[in-house]
mmCIF file of all heavy atoms in Angstrom:
data_model
loop_
_atom_site.group_PDB
_atom_site.id
_atom_site.type_symbol
_atom_site.label_atom_id
_atom_site.label_comp_id
_atom_site.label_asym_id
_atom_site.label_seq_id
_atom_site.Cartn_x
_atom_site.Cartn_y
_atom_site.Cartn_z
ATOM 1 N N LEU O 1 0.464 -17.487 1.904
ATOM 2 C CA LEU O 1 -0.521 -17.693 0.939
ATOM 3 C C LEU O 1 -1.770 -18.554 1.470
ATOM 4 O O LEU O 1 -2.914 -18.134 1.272
ATOM 5 C CB LEU O 1 -0.019 -18.433 -0.346
ATOM 6 C CG LEU O 1 -0.930 -18.718 -1.449
ATOM 7 C CD1 LEU O 1 -1.502 -17.440 -2.012
ATOM 8 C CD2 LEU O 1 -0.288 -19.508 -2.525
ATOM 9 N N ILE O 2 -1.427 -19.562 2.180
ATOM 10 C CA ILE O 2 -2.566 -20.312 2.810
ATOM 11 C C ILE O 2 -3.287 -19.492 3.848
ATOM 12 O O ILE O 2 -4.520 -19.561 3.909
ATOM 13 C CB ILE O 2 -1.888 -21.605 3.492
ATOM 14 C CG1 ILE O 2 -1.262 -22.543 2.454
ATOM 15 C CG2 ILE O 2 -2.982 -22.335 4.245
ATOM 16 C CD1 ILE O 2 -0.472 -23.674 2.979
ATOM 17 N N GLY O 3 -2.607 -18.700 4.668
ATOM 18 C CA GLY O 3 -3.160 -17.834 5.603
ATOM 19 C C GLY O 3 -4.098 -16.805 4.974
ATOM 20 O O GLY O 3 -5.155 -16.502 5.485
ATOM 21 N N LEU O 4 -3.699 -16.240 3.868
ATOM 22 C CA LEU O 4 -4.525 -15.292 3.120
ATOM 23 C C LEU O 4 -5.820 -15.921 2.607
ATOM 24 O O LEU O 4 -6.865 -15.309 2.660
ATOM 25 C CB LEU O 4 -3.686 -14.707 1.913
ATOM 26 C CG LEU O 4 -2.785 -13.519 2.183
ATOM 27 C CD1 LEU O 4 -2.058 -13.135 0.944
ATOM 28 C CD2 LEU O 4 -3.539 -12.397 2.806
ATOM 29 N N GLY O 5 -5.741 -17.123 2.188
ATOM 30 C CA GLY O 5 -6.967 -17.897 1.742
ATOM 31 C C GLY O 5 -7.935 -18.018 2.837
ATOM 32 O O GLY O 5 -9.145 -17.784 2.711
ATOM 33 N N VAL O 6 -7.491 -18.406 4.058
ATOM 34 C CA VAL O 6 -8.353 -18.578 5.196
ATOM 35 C C VAL O 6 -8.891 -17.199 5.613
ATOM 36 O O VAL O 6 -10.140 -17.122 5.905
ATOM 37 C CB VAL O 6 -7.553 -19.203 6.378
ATOM 38 C CG1 VAL O 6 -8.432 -19.209 7.622
ATOM 39 C CG2 VAL O 6 -7.090 -20.666 6.048
ATOM 40 N N ALA O 7 -8.098 -16.233 5.692
ATOM 41 C CA ALA O 7 -8.610 -14.915 6.064
ATOM 42 C C ALA O 7 -9.588 -14.323 5.050
ATOM 43 O O ALA O 7 -10.614 -13.715 5.436
ATOM 44 C CB ALA O 7 -7.349 -13.869 6.237
ATOM 45 N N GLY O 8 -9.364 -14.557 3.767
ATOM 46 C CA GLY O 8 -10.288 -14.106 2.772
ATOM 47 C C GLY O 8 -11.664 -14.774 2.908
ATOM 48 O O GLY O 8 -12.702 -14.131 2.700
ATOM 49 N N TYR O 9 -11.618 -16.066 3.242
ATOM 50 C CA TYR O 9 -12.913 -16.800 3.425
ATOM 51 C C TYR O 9 -13.844 -16.130 4.430
ATOM 52 O O TYR O 9 -15.004 -15.938 4.234
ATOM 53 C CB TYR O 9 -12.648 -18.214 3.809
ATOM 54 C CG TYR O 9 -13.842 -19.028 4.089
ATOM 55 C CD1 TYR O 9 -14.562 -19.621 3.096
ATOM 56 C CD2 TYR O 9 -14.321 -19.190 5.410
ATOM 57 C CE1 TYR O 9 -15.743 -20.360 3.337
ATOM 58 C CE2 TYR O 9 -15.401 -20.004 5.686
ATOM 59 C CZ TYR O 9 -16.109 -20.561 4.691
ATOM 60 O OH TYR O 9 -17.209 -21.293 4.956
ATOM 61 N N PHE O 10 -13.244 -15.663 5.521
ATOM 62 C CA PHE O 10 -14.043 -15.115 6.636
ATOM 63 C C PHE O 10 -14.288 -13.549 6.379
ATOM 64 O O PHE O 10 -15.401 -13.038 6.664
ATOM 65 C CB PHE O 10 -13.413 -15.264 7.964
ATOM 66 C CG PHE O 10 -13.351 -16.712 8.434
ATOM 67 C CD1 PHE O 10 -12.184 -17.462 8.329
ATOM 68 C CD2 PHE O 10 -14.470 -17.243 8.978
ATOM 69 C CE1 PHE O 10 -12.218 -18.777 8.763
ATOM 70 C CE2 PHE O 10 -14.432 -18.625 9.370
ATOM 71 C CZ PHE O 10 -13.304 -19.358 9.324
ATOM 72 N N THR O 11 -13.308 -12.852 5.858
ATOM 73 C CA THR O 11 -13.442 -11.429 5.549
ATOM 74 C C THR O 11 -14.429 -11.154 4.520
ATOM 75 O O THR O 11 -15.087 -10.038 4.511
ATOM 76 C CB THR O 11 -12.080 -10.811 5.184
ATOM 77 O OG1 THR O 11 -11.102 -11.241 6.194
ATOM 78 C CG2 THR O 11 -12.155 -9.295 5.167
ATOM 79 N N ALA O 12 -14.699 -12.044 3.618
ATOM 80 C CA ALA O 12 -15.652 -11.763 2.488
ATOM 81 C C ALA O 12 -17.075 -11.617 3.030
ATOM 82 O O ALA O 12 -17.981 -11.062 2.261
ATOM 83 C CB ALA O 12 -15.639 -12.965 1.501
ATOM 84 N N ARG O 13 -17.339 -11.949 4.291
ATOM 85 C CA ARG O 13 -18.701 -11.646 4.888
ATOM 86 C C ARG O 13 -18.926 -10.244 5.287
ATOM 87 O O ARG O 13 -19.995 -9.906 5.530
ATOM 88 C CB ARG O 13 -18.828 -12.617 6.070
ATOM 89 C CG ARG O 13 -18.619 -14.139 5.729
ATOM 90 C CD ARG O 13 -18.744 -14.955 7.005
ATOM 91 N NE ARG O 13 -18.388 -16.407 6.706
ATOM 92 C CZ ARG O 13 -18.267 -17.344 7.605
ATOM 93 N NH1 ARG O 13 -18.529 -17.052 8.865
ATOM 94 N NH2 ARG O 13 -18.045 -18.624 7.221
ATOM 95 N N LEU O 14 -17.905 -9.449 5.415
ATOM 96 C CA LEU O 14 -18.022 -8.078 5.743
ATOM 97 C C LEU O 14 -18.659 -7.219 4.646
ATOM 98 O O LEU O 14 -18.408 -7.441 3.460
ATOM 99 C CB LEU O 14 -16.691 -7.486 6.195
ATOM 100 C CG LEU O 14 -15.990 -8.197 7.399
ATOM 101 C CD1 LEU O 14 -14.584 -7.561 7.604
ATOM 102 C CD2 LEU O 14 -16.802 -8.097 8.620
ATOM 103 N N GLN O 15 -19.414 -6.226 5.029
ATOM 104 C CA GLN O 15 -20.100 -5.373 4.097
ATOM 105 C C GLN O 15 -19.663 -3.914 4.265
ATOM 106 O O GLN O 15 -19.008 -3.531 5.215
ATOM 107 C CB GLN O 15 -21.589 -5.488 4.197
ATOM 108 C CG GLN O 15 -22.162 -6.918 4.104
ATOM 109 C CD GLN O 15 -21.814 -7.457 2.676
ATOM 110 O OE1 GLN O 15 -22.046 -6.906 1.648
ATOM 111 N NE2 GLN O 15 -21.265 -8.730 2.698
ATOM 112 N N GLY O 16 -20.074 -3.051 3.363
ATOM 113 C CA GLY O 16 -19.906 -1.661 3.454
ATOM 114 C C GLY O 16 -18.428 -1.289 3.267
ATOM 115 O O GLY O 16 -17.571 -2.006 2.824
ATOM 116 N N VAL O 17 -18.093 -0.005 3.739
ATOM 117 C CA VAL O 17 -16.704 0.542 3.737
ATOM 118 C C VAL O 17 -15.792 -0.392 4.516
ATOM 119 O O VAL O 17 -14.619 -0.653 4.131
ATOM 120 C CB VAL O 17 -16.677 1.906 4.176
ATOM 121 C CG1 VAL O 17 -15.260 2.428 4.246
ATOM 122 C CG2 VAL O 17 -17.429 2.871 3.240
ATOM 123 N N THR O 18 -16.307 -0.994 5.654
ATOM 124 C CA THR O 18 -15.508 -1.831 6.465
ATOM 125 C C THR O 18 -15.041 -3.089 5.623
ATOM 126 O O THR O 18 -13.838 -3.484 5.668
ATOM 127 C CB THR O 18 -16.263 -2.376 7.650
ATOM 128 O OG1 THR O 18 -16.626 -1.256 8.472
ATOM 129 C CG2 THR O 18 -15.478 -3.297 8.552
ATOM 130 N N GLY O 19 -15.908 -3.599 4.845
ATOM 131 C CA GLY O 19 -15.552 -4.748 3.915
ATOM 132 C C GLY O 19 -14.568 -4.324 2.878
ATOM 133 O O GLY O 19 -13.631 -5.064 2.542
ATOM 134 N N SER O 20 -14.844 -3.073 2.329
ATOM 135 C CA SER O 20 -13.901 -2.612 1.253
ATOM 136 C C SER O 20 -12.401 -2.453 1.834
ATOM 137 O O SER O 20 -11.451 -2.876 1.239
ATOM 138 C CB SER O 20 -14.318 -1.231 0.807
ATOM 139 O OG SER O 20 -15.506 -1.263 0.053
ATOM 140 N N VAL O 21 -12.345 -1.970 3.106
ATOM 141 C CA VAL O 21 -10.999 -1.817 3.729
ATOM 142 C C VAL O 21 -10.433 -3.049 4.054
ATOM 143 O O VAL O 21 -9.187 -3.344 3.754
ATOM 144 C CB VAL O 21 -11.148 -0.869 5.036
ATOM 145 C CG1 VAL O 21 -9.850 -0.905 5.794
ATOM 146 C CG2 VAL O 21 -11.586 0.499 4.644
ATOM 147 N N ALA O 22 -11.138 -3.985 4.639
ATOM 148 C CA ALA O 22 -10.546 -5.309 5.076
ATOM 149 C C ALA O 22 -10.185 -6.140 3.886
ATOM 150 O O ALA O 22 -9.030 -6.663 3.839
ATOM 151 C CB ALA O 22 -11.525 -6.012 5.925
ATOM 152 N N LEU O 23 -11.024 -6.241 2.942
ATOM 153 C CA LEU O 23 -10.690 -7.017 1.672
ATOM 154 C C LEU O 23 -9.581 -6.357 0.849
ATOM 155 O O LEU O 23 -8.707 -7.087 0.315
ATOM 156 C CB LEU O 23 -11.935 -7.203 0.849
ATOM 157 C CG LEU O 23 -12.958 -8.219 1.461
ATOM 158 C CD1 LEU O 23 -14.353 -8.070 0.804
ATOM 159 C CD2 LEU O 23 -12.549 -9.676 1.334
ATOM 160 N N GLY O 24 -9.687 -5.053 0.799
ATOM 161 C CA GLY O 24 -8.576 -4.289 0.090
ATOM 162 C C GLY O 24 -7.234 -4.555 0.690
ATOM 163 O O GLY O 24 -6.241 -4.688 0.052
ATOM 164 N N GLY O 25 -7.202 -4.587 2.077
ATOM 165 C CA GLY O 25 -5.980 -4.885 2.791
ATOM 166 C C GLY O 25 -5.381 -6.176 2.537
ATOM 167 O O GLY O 25 -4.217 -6.337 2.291
ATOM 168 N N LEU O 26 -6.282 -7.186 2.495
ATOM 169 C CA LEU O 26 -5.898 -8.587 2.102
ATOM 170 C C LEU O 26 -5.329 -8.668 0.663
ATOM 171 O O LEU O 26 -4.292 -9.338 0.383
ATOM 172 C CB LEU O 26 -6.979 -9.550 2.338
ATOM 173 C CG LEU O 26 -7.383 -9.873 3.775
ATOM 174 C CD1 LEU O 26 -8.561 -10.851 3.837
ATOM 175 C CD2 LEU O 26 -6.204 -10.390 4.616
ATOM 176 N N ALA O 27 -6.006 -7.908 -0.189
ATOM 177 C CA ALA O 27 -5.549 -7.882 -1.596
ATOM 178 C C ALA O 27 -4.158 -7.304 -1.731
ATOM 179 O O ALA O 27 -3.280 -7.680 -2.433
ATOM 180 C CB ALA O 27 -6.525 -7.058 -2.436
ATOM 181 N N GLY O 28 -3.973 -6.207 -0.900
ATOM 182 C CA GLY O 28 -2.615 -5.597 -0.899
ATOM 183 C C GLY O 28 -1.548 -6.495 -0.423
ATOM 184 O O GLY O 28 -0.428 -6.541 -0.902
ATOM 185 N N LEU O 29 -1.855 -7.273 0.664
ATOM 186 C CA LEU O 29 -0.908 -8.289 1.135
ATOM 187 C C LEU O 29 -0.558 -9.292 0.027
ATOM 188 O O LEU O 29 0.688 -9.682 -0.141
ATOM 189 C CB LEU O 29 -1.417 -8.956 2.366
ATOM 190 C CG LEU O 29 -1.541 -8.121 3.645
ATOM 191 C CD1 LEU O 29 -2.164 -8.930 4.768
ATOM 192 C CD2 LEU O 29 -0.179 -7.617 4.096
ATOM 193 N N ALA O 30 -1.531 -9.703 -0.704
ATOM 194 C CA ALA O 30 -1.377 -10.636 -1.768
ATOM 195 C C ALA O 30 -0.440 -10.094 -2.838
ATOM 196 O O ALA O 30 0.516 -10.691 -3.372
ATOM 197 C CB ALA O 30 -2.654 -11.105 -2.332
#
């Protein structure tokens, strides 16, 4: 859970479909 919070902080800077995929993947892990 702590690791997801750290990853989400940095991944939120991504835009476009790349951001959708990366953030969606983290959401799936959660």
Side-chain angles (χ1 to χ4, degrees):
L1 177 62
I2 296 171
L4 276 178
V6 174
Y9 175 82
F10 291 102
T11 307
R13 301 174 185 179
L14 299 176
Q15 301 301 309
V17 174
T18 301
S20 291
V21 170
L23 288 163
L26 290 178
L29 291 175

